[in-house]
Amino acid sequence: MHHTDEYNIENLVVRRGQPFLLQLSFSRELKAADKLSLRFGIGEKPMKNRGTLMSLSVKQEQDLSGWQISIVKNSGKECLLSVTSSPRAPVGKYILNVKTGTNIYKPPNSPMYLLFNPWCKDDVVFLDDEAQRKEYVLNDTGFIYVGSAYRIYDKPWNFGQFEEFVLDACMYLLDNSKLKLSNRSDPVSVSRVMSALVNANDDSGVLMGNWSGNYNNGTSPVDWIGSVSILQQYYKTKKPVCYGQCWVFAGVLTTVMRCLGIPSRCVSNFNSAHDTEENLTVDIYMDEFGRIENGISFDSVWNFHVWNDVWMKRRDLPEGFDGWQAIDSTPQEQSGGIFQCGPCPLKAVREGDVYLPFDGKFVYAEVNADKVYWMVKKVNGKDKYIKLNTETQDIGVNISTKAVGQDKREDITTQYKFPEGSKEERKAMQRALSFIQPPGLTPRTRMSSTVPMAGAVSQPAVPCEAVPKSGVHLEIASKEALYPGNPLELVITVKTSTPGTWTINLTGSCQLQSYTGKVEASLGCVKETIKLEGKSEMQVPLKIAADAYMKTLSSVEDEVLIHITAIAEVQGTDYKLTKDMTMRFEYPPITIQMPETAKLNKEFTCAFIFKNNLNVPLDNCKLLVEGLGIFKMSTFDEGDVKPGRIIKSEIICTPTRLGEKKIIAKLISTQIKGISAVKAITVTE
């Protein structure tokens, strides 16, 4: 059982290091003098001395290359052979020839596809857990986690590694990778080169990244619901597909890795630091109202960033760094002169061994940097920078992936870092700093905050920070659910926990941000001086009318987040405190109606229903739906949907593959981009 019967391709697809059977039919009975041998060749000019041509004769027990052949059954004109490839064989397309004496036969449906084998103990990608292999190699649908650190939501994604032309697209990438054929046996080389080829930078790879907000001559990144149409279009045109952002890159890279047989998962890091100077700090600049200023710093904090982990042994490293390795195909920083990242062992990130290849310092900073807040004030016409405070616990929180065998979020933060404030965490930080340390940067200690897990997209609790010496503490919340078209009812709470009288200058601001932290609009500010006695608290409302943001929602092609910043300055002291929070809009749901089970090759109807419960019309609505092994991507133009209106679209489906299949639906309009739904159906014979 090679676990390859799902691939939608005529050719033989097998995994390395595992026997497969070949049935040969001859014009007459086979005799010993016929000298039967099989030849497997990979690459343009297969050669024995390069390990790219395997010539296996039935007499030999084993070829030097580690391939084996034996006769299982020989009766009359029929001969059944068992072939086992080496568990270290290069992965790719092999041409098979059968030789008897001087005759060479070339089968019509050659080539044969050879893949990595996580089921084989001798393969470096061996994963010793059937449930994990099912999830990380065979599952062709999943979720990618997006949103903000304490309002996480799942984006359903069709990986579709078994769909038509996807395997061919992966083979085309391998052929274009400039990897030596001998390096194609090594998942470290293959995953690194694929992290480069999934982005279009440097090498005309699969996806062109675009964060400009203008996607006119391509598909907006938020419109994709899976990797299949991207890889199919790329294979057909051999030109980069427009456009991707981090979750699209990660979704496609997962597809490519699973398709080739390397266990892979999408990983979402919330409050992800993009530290351009490798000094483990990210500078955030604000005006006097707490409004973040674009463009002063090259550093940035993304509300979330998605990359991948791949599973393999690291024979190229000292012992102990096997297992999950981070790779990233979103083009952020160059590595070795090319936009590629990883594989970097999670253990190296966790323990601060950031000198190990590849790109350990960059990944370490993404999950461990400090946020330094600065206020920019105009003094005599010049900008003056005032340092407010440093936040040491905000970066790299609630690192998430889909749970094995369940449609739930699994928190894997502890695989990337020790608990904040623990002895091990401080030791790892010191170790990392010894390799990164620029002048004047001092190692730090941190407070403890761990986040409990709950049910399906469980929302992590916001950690309670230690109250500083002054006893002043800030909290940000929303009174009502944040529906587009309604006013945003936000509240900043100032608390004091020590005796005395406190006079506090409070400023707060609300902005719309893209997920990379870029400010799209400033919506409103509040500035108040408040007095608090002893242990007490006061709520300061920040209300934003719908008119203040609806124009921006309509003019921006990305999904935007609501970012609130509060700054408290305690009079009579040097004490300044900042707090920020990112929230997302809530949306009405899509309902998918269909039977729970369906019969193979028998039609059934699937209906998609959406009611606009918002106070605003939704313009240019499009419904995108896809069901792997059931129907291809379909788009319904729904026009403008007024408040209260219900739309219903139906599709007649014919399942072509057995097992549990998922159907994904997504609604996009001029105003909103984030509505999606997923439903499973079991296909039986």
Side-chain angles (χ1 to χ4, degrees), residues 482-490 510 512 521-525 541-553 562 585 615-616:
L482 304 167
Y483 286 108
N486 289 4
L488 308 180
E489 308 247 1
L490 306 165
C510 178
L512 288 184
S522 287
L523 304 182
C525 300
L542 175 55
K543 188 173 176 176
I544 311 289
D547 297 352
Y549 66 82
M550 281 312 295
K551 270 200 189 74
T552 306
L553 284 197
I562 302 156
F585 286 104
N615 293 327
V616 284

Side-chain angles (χ1 to χ4, degrees), residues 146-147 151 153-155 222 481-486 512-513 549-550 553 556 558-562 583-591 610-616 618 666-677:
V146 294
R151 292 300 301 158
Y153 72 102
D154 52 17
K155 200 185 261 290
V222 291
L482 304 167
Y483 286 108
N486 289 4
L512 288 184
Q513 266 189 356
Y549 66 82
M550 281 312 295
L553 284 197
V556 174
D558 298 302
E559 192 184 350
V560 290
L561 297 156
I562 302 156
M583 301 175 182
R584 91 177 266 257
F585 286 104
E586 305 279 332
Y587 307 112
I590 299 171
T591 307
F610 173 78
K611 182 181 182 185
N612 181 5
N613 293 331
L614 304 173
N615 293 327
V616 284
L618 300 177
K666 176 161 192 140
L667 187 87
I668 48 174
S669 71
T670 305
Q671 290 82 2
I672 55 179
K673 317 287 186 287
I675 304 180
S676 51

